């Protein structure tokens, strides 16, 4: 005999108008009732998975959620894919914890992230990129840290960088368990070899708090989206880190952002928008700083950010130079040189190569660009030296 529950369903009854509605019995099996009860509850943590097209790793990402030792969570898969490929994988799990959203037309990454802030029912939100994976104890440990540090605005674990097959490439740096906002900002913009692996994945925060700060900033090609969000949240309170490696960040060809960007103007505009946001944030913190140590940290944060911005503007022009080399439009060459001079961007390797290669015929420039792309891909994916625990 099937276990069923009878639900009495009715429309509104307006006594003043004397309108009545017939009560209809609805038969639900016990699984449907269980799902309804679960969905009526508010989970402690929401996991948001923005995705588009990539089916290779989404199953691994979902399984890493289901393997969590902490069970009071929901998963929201926010999908821009226009076919049923991702939807089929998600629905195959048949879990009441899963909520699937398909966007037609596609929203883009930053719009999906901001929509996740609204859809998340948990007090806390953790983003999981569709090619990354959690270790089983991540949510439990982060929630324990949140309870121990109730004023924390960001919580994270140490990251492991892995390759396409899940093999370890390196561990990122281990941070102190608690960093005040000025100490966090001082570290946030340091070069990669002196910093954590910056990523959307694995940071736990209150979605309502980020919404109040304006949400994720939508810049060209979603550049700076993670670092800007973490800067704004980290400025609000302490940042708490677990020394345990509980988050896996996958490095593969699809995750490498080094490529041709013909519209270097938009890229540079994004860098300048970020400049305004971060410089105002640091200035506002300095205006209320009460100790010399805090002021020193914030001045150091400003210096580190200036270096970060110079590196990223060079990167923007790097992409633009490669696109210009492969273009028959000779005018782009002079434009890029003028931009470099106006913004005082230091010389870098691609720029020096560009000055030599731009005099070659188009077919030779295209061949040179292809070689440079291959080198960049090889350099980015090279096996990194493993850091020992506590490095």
């Amino acid at each position: 005999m099937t276990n069923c529950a009878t639900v009495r369903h009715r429309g509104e009854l307006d006594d003043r108008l004397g309108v009545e509605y017939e009560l209809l019995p609805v038969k639900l099996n016990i699984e449907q009732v269980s799902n309804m009860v679960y969905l009526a509850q508010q989970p402690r943590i929401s996991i948001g998975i923005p995705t588009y097209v990539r089916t290779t790793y989404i199953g691994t990402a979902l399984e890493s959620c289901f393997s969590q030792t902490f069970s009071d969570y929901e998963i929201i898969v926010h999908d821009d894919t226009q076919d049923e490929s991702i939807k089929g994988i998600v629905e195959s799990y048949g879990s009441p914890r899963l909520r699937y959203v398909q966007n037609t037309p596609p929203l883009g990454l930053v719009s999906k992230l901001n929509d996740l802030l609204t859809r998340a029912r948990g007090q806390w939100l953790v983003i999981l990129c569709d090619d990354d994976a959690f270790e089983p104890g991540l949510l439990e440990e982060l929630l324990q840290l949140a309870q121990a540090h109730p004023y924390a605005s960001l919580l994270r674990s140490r990251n492991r960088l892995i390759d396409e097959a899940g093999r370890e490439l390196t561990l990122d740096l281990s941070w102190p368990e608690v960093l005040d906002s000025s100490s966090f900002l001082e570290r946030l913009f340091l070069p990669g070899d002196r910093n954590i692996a910056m990523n959307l994945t694995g940071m736990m925060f209150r979605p309502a708090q980020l919404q109040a700060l304006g949400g994720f900033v939508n810049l060209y090609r979603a550049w700076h989206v993670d670092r800007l969000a973490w800067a704004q949240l980290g400025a609000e309170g302490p940042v708490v880190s677990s020394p345990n490696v509980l988050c896996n960040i996958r490095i593969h060809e699809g995750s490498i952002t080094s490529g041709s960007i013909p519209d270097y103007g938009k890229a540079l505009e994004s860098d300048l928008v970020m400049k305004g946001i971060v410089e105002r944030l640091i200035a506002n913190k300095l205006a209320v700083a009460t100790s010399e140590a805090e002021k020193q940290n914030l001045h150091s944060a400003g210096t580190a950010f200036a270096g970060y911005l110079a590196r990223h503007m060079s990167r923007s022009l790097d992409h633009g130079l490669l696109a210009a080399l492969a273009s028959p439009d000779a005018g782009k060459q002079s434009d890029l040189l003028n931009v470099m001079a106006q913004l005082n961007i230091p010389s870098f390797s691609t720029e020096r190569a560009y000055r030599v290669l731009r005099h070659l015929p188009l077919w030779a420039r295209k061949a040179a660009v292809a070689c440079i792309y291959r080198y960049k891909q090889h350099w980015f994916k090279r096996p990194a030296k493993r850091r020992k625990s506590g490095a």
Side-chain angles (χ1 to χ4, degrees), residues 175-197:
W175 273 6
E177 180 173 322
V178 181
L179 288 170
D180 63 39
S181 59
S182 65
S183 299
F184 172 72
L185 291 172
E186 180 186 26
R187 293 166 181 251
L188 184 62
F189 298 105
L190 291 174
D193 58 347
R194 297 165 56 195
N195 209 337
I196 61 169

Side-chain angles (χ1 to χ4, degrees), residues 25-88:
V26 178
K27 296 289 187 179
L28 300 176
N29 63 39
I30 199 68
E31 180 181 1
Q32 290 172 312
V33 173
S34 175
N35 289 356
M36 289 172 64
V37 171
Y38 174 80
L39 290 173
Q41 298 171 338
Q42 183 176 6
R44 296 288 298 279
I45 300 175
S46 297
I47 301 171
I49 305 180
T51 187
Y52 175 61
V53 176
R54 294 193 299 206
T55 58
T56 306
Y57 303 113
I58 185 73
T60 302
L62 288 169
E63 287 162 15
S64 78
C65 298
F66 291 126
S67 68
Q68 290 299 301
T69 55
F70 177 77
S71 60
D72 191 9
Y73 65 88
E74 67 172 351
I75 307 167
I76 309 169
V77 178
H78 216 316
D79 184 19
D80 273 353
T81 309
Q82 298 302 286
D83 59 30
E84 303 291 300
S85 55
I86 299 290
K87 182 179 180 181

Side-chain angles (χ1 to χ4, degrees), residues 50 54 113 127-134 154-156 159-161 172 188 195-205 216 225-230 247-251 255 380:
R54 294 193 299 206
L113 292 172
I127 302 297
L128 173 60
C129 294
D130 59 5
D131 50 356
D132 297 334
F134 297 153
L154 271 178
L155 302 105
R156 63 176 296 276
N159 293 327
R160 175 189 296 109
L161 273 63
D172 70 1
L188 184 62
N195 209 337
I196 61 169
M198 195 58 56
N199 201 273
L200 284 167
T201 291
M203 292 281 203
M204 189 170 85
F205 59 95
F216 291 95
V225 63
D226 46 5
R227 209 173 300 252
L228 268 177
W230 309 151
C247 198
N248 297 296
I249 309 298
R250 197 181 304 273
I251 305 299
S255 70
F380 193 88

Side-chain angles (χ1 to χ4, degrees), residues 26-337:
V26 178
K27 296 289 187 179
L28 300 176
N29 63 39
I30 199 68
E31 180 181 1
Q32 290 172 312
V33 173
S34 175
N35 289 356
M36 289 172 64
V37 171
Y38 174 80
L39 290 173
Q41 298 171 338
Q42 183 176 6
R44 296 288 298 279
I45 300 175
S46 297
I47 301 171
I49 305 180
T51 187
Y52 175 61
V53 176
R54 294 193 299 206
T55 58
T56 306
Y57 303 113
I58 185 73
T60 302
L62 288 169
E63 287 162 15
S64 78
C65 298
F66 291 126
S67 68
Q68 290 299 301
T69 55
F70 177 77
S71 60
D72 191 9
Y73 65 88
E74 67 172 351
I75 307 167
I76 309 169
V77 178
H78 216 316
D79 184 19
D80 273 353
T81 309
Q82 298 302 286
D83 59 30
E84 303 291 300
S85 55
I86 299 290
K87 182 179 180 181
I89 295 171
V90 173
E91 292 185 344
S92 70
Y93 287 91
S95 171
R97 299 182 191 281
L98 267 170
R99 296 163 59 196
Y100 176 76
V101 180
Q102 188 172 36
N103 307 303
T104 304
L107 294 181
L109 174 61
V110 181
S111 294
K112 284 186 290 188
L113 292 172
N114 282 319
D115 194 54
L116 283 169
L117 299 180
T118 302
R119 292 179 182 273
R121 295 183 300 134
Q123 176 189 6
W124 297 96
L125 174 62
V126 185
I127 302 297
L128 173 60
C129 294
D130 59 5
D131 50 356
D132 297 334
F134 297 153
E135 292 294 327
L138 176 72
L139 297 186
E140 182 176 10
E141 181 142 345
L142 293 186
L143 191 60
Q144 288 174 352
L145 289 172
Q147 292 167 343
H149 304 278
Y151 297 106
S153 57
L154 271 178
L155 302 105
R156 63 176 296 276
S157 78
R158 197 174 178 189
N159 293 327
R160 175 189 296 109
L161 273 63
I162 59 175
D163 66 8
E164 294 96 329
R167 295 180 294 254
E168 181 180 310
L169 296 174
T170 189
L171 303 179
D172 70 1
L173 295 177
S174 179
W175 273 6
E177 180 173 322
V178 181
L179 288 170
D180 63 39
S181 59
S182 65
S183 299
F184 172 72
L185 291 172
E186 180 186 26
R187 293 166 181 251
L188 184 62
F189 298 105
L190 291 174
D193 58 347
R194 297 165 56 195
N195 209 337
I196 61 169
M198 195 58 56
N199 201 273
L200 284 167
T201 291
M203 292 281 203
M204 189 170 85
F205 59 95
R206 296 177 183 87
Q209 187 175 24
L210 185 54
Q211 272 189 307
L213 295 169
F216 291 95
V217 181
N218 196 354
L219 298 178
Y220 180 60
R221 294 178 66 138
W223 277 5
H224 313 296
V225 63
D226 46 5
R227 209 173 300 252
L228 268 177
W230 309 151
Q232 293 181 96
L233 282 168
E236 294 294 303
V239 175
V240 179
S241 300
S242 166
N244 298 317
V245 182
L246 298 173
C247 198
N248 297 296
I249 309 298
R250 197 181 304 273
I251 305 299
H252 57 93
E253 187 170 344
S255 70
I256 298 170
T257 57
S258 181
S260 173
I261 300 179
D263 198 342
Y264 66 89
K266 287 184 178 179
L268 289 172
E269 181 182 357
S270 294
D271 294 336
L272 295 175
V273 170
M274 184 187 193
K275 179 177 185 290
I277 293 172
V278 174
E279 287 182 348
R280 282 193 301 271
L281 187 152
I282 293 174
N284 291 339
K285 293 292 292 182
L286 273 169
V288 296
T290 56
S291 71
E292 287 304 315
E294 185 179 7
K295 293 176 183 178
Q296 180 58 48
N297 286 342
L298 291 168
H299 285 301
S300 297
T303 301
F305 174 67
Y308 170 85
L309 188 66
R311 292 190 300 274
H312 211 281
M313 292 179 79
S314 295
R315 177 188 173 196
S316 298
L317 279 179
D318 182 10
H319 295 306
L321 288 169
L322 291 174
L325 274 177
S327 169
D329 184 0
K332 290 184 178 181
Q333 302 173 2
S334 298
D335 290 345
L336 284 163
L337 293 175

Side-chain angles (χ1 to χ4, degrees), residues 7-11 21-26:
V7 178
R8 306 294 290 181
H9 175 71
R10 63 177 301 163
Y21 297 82
E22 181 182 1
L23 300 180
L24 301 175
V26 178

